[in-house]
Amino acid sequence: MKFVIASSNLHKVREMRSMLKEFSTIEFLSLRDFPDYVPPEETGETFKENAEIKAIHAAKHLDCVAIGDDSGLVVPALNGEPGVYSARYAGAHANDQENREKLIAKLKSLPIEKRIGYFECCIAIATKDGIKKSVCGNCEGELLDTPRGSQGFGYDPIFLKHNYRKTFAELESDTKNRISHRRKALDKVEPTLYSLSR
């Protein structure tokens, strides 16, 4: 059986495949397996809305069970920035480093106690008949103005996980995959994945 992770982000797809490896009867494809597929615009105002847009569109156009994922970093003291714009915070074609640099510049205007935030991941499961499950998971931490670590991607090097004293980019991938926002969201949709794989 084949399900499609509605993303072409290699880091995200790799993480999700690792977390879903217990589903040995399912082959998890990604949008890279469908080079002619054109993803929809992410017009949602929340991570959940964007995850549902991705899942519904992929399920309908690829005639499959689709897993939509939208996630990012939220800093309450910056009015929720970067939020749904996390991947394009410094511009439509910005890379991870440019996005981090913009956020770091804004963090420096905040007192230390306000430099906190959380990653949010929302996952939607859809078939061609529509959404079957839609959930979110959060992971809280402190934000640094100096990147640390070489693992992970996105804002991982400046996200210091509470109780671990390491950034997501310093944690071993197995540890991060056990405690992350994406893990928390996937835990909530596992029963749906099981039922759809039968």
Side-chain angles (χ1 to χ4, degrees):
M1 182 170 290
K2 296 180 180 181
F3 287 8
V4 176
I5 298 170
S7 175
S8 57
N9 182 314
L10 284 176
H11 297 289
K12 182 183 292 187
V13 171
R14 188 179 299 120
E15 275 194 2
M16 293 182 74
R17 282 176 173 158
S18 176
M19 294 178 193
L20 295 168
K21 59 187 177 184
E22 65 191 81
F23 291 90
S24 58
T25 61
I26 302 174
E27 180 182 0
F28 291 99
L29 305 177
S30 78
L31 295 185
R32 289 177 176 266
D33 295 299
F34 303 92
D36 296 329
Y37 174 75
V38 180
E41 287 189 40
E42 296 178 28
T43 56
E45 296 182 0
T46 65
F47 296 118
K48 185 175 182 180
E49 288 176 0
N50 281 334
E52 292 178 350
I53 288 170
K54 295 176 187 179
I56 291 170
H57 193 274
K60 178 180 177 181
H61 288 81
L62 301 176
D63 191 19
C64 65
V65 174
I67 305 171
D69 170 304
D70 198 48
S71 56
L73 182 65
V74 177
V75 183
L78 293 178
N79 297 314
E81 292 183 18
V84 294
Y85 301 104
S86 291
R88 53 193 188 278
Y89 192 42
H93 304 290
N95 60 33
D96 287 351
Q97 182 176 340
E98 291 167 336
N99 288 329
R100 286 195 299 268
E101 288 173 350
K102 178 177 179 178
L103 181 58
I104 287 170
K106 290 202 170 190
L107 289 172
K108 288 182 177 179
S109 67
L110 299 176
I112 296 295
E113 65 272 14
K114 295 278 190 178
R115 298 180 190 179
I116 57 175
Y118 60 90
F119 276 119
E120 181 169 345
C121 174
C122 292
I123 291 178
I125 310 296
T127 68
K128 60 183 180 181
D129 298 320
I131 291 292
K132 299 302 178 183
K133 187 75 173 179
S134 185
V135 303
C136 297
N138 292 347
C139 186
E140 301 78 20
E142 301 169 34
L143 299 170
L144 308 179
D145 55 18
T146 302
R148 287 172 22 189
S150 59
Q151 307 295 318
F153 61 100
Y155 299 93
D156 286 357
I158 62 172
F159 183 80
L160 189 70
K161 179 70 179 79
H162 287 335
N163 303 324
Y164 282 79
R165 310 317 303 168
K166 289 184 177 182
T167 67
F168 263 7
E170 292 176 306
L171 288 173
E172 294 291 332
S173 60
D174 285 349
T175 302
K176 180 190 173 188
N177 289 347
R178 191 176 68 248
I179 64 175
S180 74
H181 49 304
R182 187 160 289 113
R183 173 76 271 172
K184 291 178 180 179
L186 282 173
D187 282 346
K188 296 177 183 178
V189 297
E190 282 192 352
T192 302
L193 292 176
Y194 273 118
S195 65
L196 291 172
S197 67
R198 291 178 179 174

